Amino acid sequence: MTALYLLQEAVDAGHELGPFTPEPGLLIWTLVVFGILLALLWKLGWPALLKMVEEREARIAKQLADAEQANAEAARLLEEHRKALDAARAQAQEIMATAKSVAQKEREVLLAKTREEQEQLLERARREIVAEKEKAILALRAEAVDLSLAAASKLVEANLDSEANRRLVLDYLATLDRK
């Protein structure tokens, strides 16, 4: 009511009221209402606002801690992966070295086996050559006996039987072998 009263006095005094004209009564009531609202907000709103800000800070701090922990875990897993990869590479190198060693030993074994087979073939060929040589010598002796008999029978022109002639030539050849 005082505001209406002040307004009425201002109109009666002939003052014009404008939008920017300060009024002492209105100013006082505005300050009183502002003070009451400020006290209510200070008592009721400020603690709730502080609580929300603190909760948000705690949530952000927890998220940062979780992110740092996840980052540390990722770094640890990356290091483990690198170590496992290095171990796998080392194992692969070891397997390759072992495979090369086994291949070299297998090659040497195969070469030795091949040489042994060659030696066996050469030995068998030598034996066959010796056997063929002995057969050829025997065949030549038989031929020589036949030729000697034919030559002796023509020279002697005697009619000796074939068996006696053979014995005679074989005895002669036997005496040649002893010398």
Side-chain angles (χ1 to χ4, degrees):
M1 259 239 219
T2 7
L4 286 173
Y5 177 72
L6 288 174
L7 184 60
Q8 185 63 35
E9 277 185 16
V11 171
D12 289 342
H15 288 111
E16 255 184 65
L17 293 178
F20 297 110
T21 306
E23 297 216 14
L26 184 61
L27 187 62
I28 292 172
W29 281 109
T30 304
L31 288 175
V32 169
V33 169
F34 179 76
I36 292 171
L37 282 176
L38 183 62
L40 284 175
L41 285 176
W42 189 267
K43 189 73 172 167
L44 301 176
W46 188 253
L49 187 62
L50 282 179
K51 182 180 175 187
M52 287 178 11
V53 169
E54 288 172 356
E55 286 175 358
R56 185 165 184 219
E57 279 182 9
R59 191 172 58 241
I60 289 172
K62 183 181 181 305
Q63 288 174 347
L64 284 174
D66 290 346
E68 286 178 12
Q69 184 180 5
N71 192 16
E73 180 69 17
R76 185 186 63 80
L77 289 175
L78 180 63
E79 187 61 32
E80 285 180 10
H81 178 69
R82 284 184 182 154
K83 286 179 182 178
L85 188 59
D86 289 342
R89 283 185 182 141
Q91 187 178 10
Q93 290 293 332
E94 183 179 323
I95 289 171
M96 290 294 290
T98 303
K100 284 180 182 179
S101 173
V102 168
Q104 182 66 25
K105 287 178 183 177
E106 187 67 27
R107 181 176 172 255
E108 290 172 2
V109 166
L110 288 175
L111 283 174
K113 186 177 178 182
T114 302
R115 286 186 189 120
E116 184 179 323
E117 288 175 357
Q118 287 176 340
E119 290 296 323
Q120 289 174 354
L121 285 174
L122 283 173
E123 187 60 34
R124 189 174 72 201
R126 287 181 185 136
R127 285 193 306 260
E128 288 176 1
I129 289 171
V130 168
E132 288 296 321
K133 180 179 169 185
E134 289 177 8
K135 281 183 188 177
I137 290 173
L138 288 176
L140 282 174
R141 282 186 181 173
E143 187 67 28
V145 167
D146 289 341
L147 287 174
S148 298
L149 286 178
S153 67
K154 284 193 178 186
L155 284 177
V156 175
E157 291 190 12
N159 220 359
L160 298 172
D161 66 46
S162 213
E163 189 58 37
N165 288 339
R166 261 188 218 288
R167 216 176 311 119
L168 182 66
V169 170
L170 285 175
D171 287 341
Y172 176 71
L173 287 176
T175 59
L176 286 178
D177 280 340
R178 286 183 218 148
K179 292 181 183 177

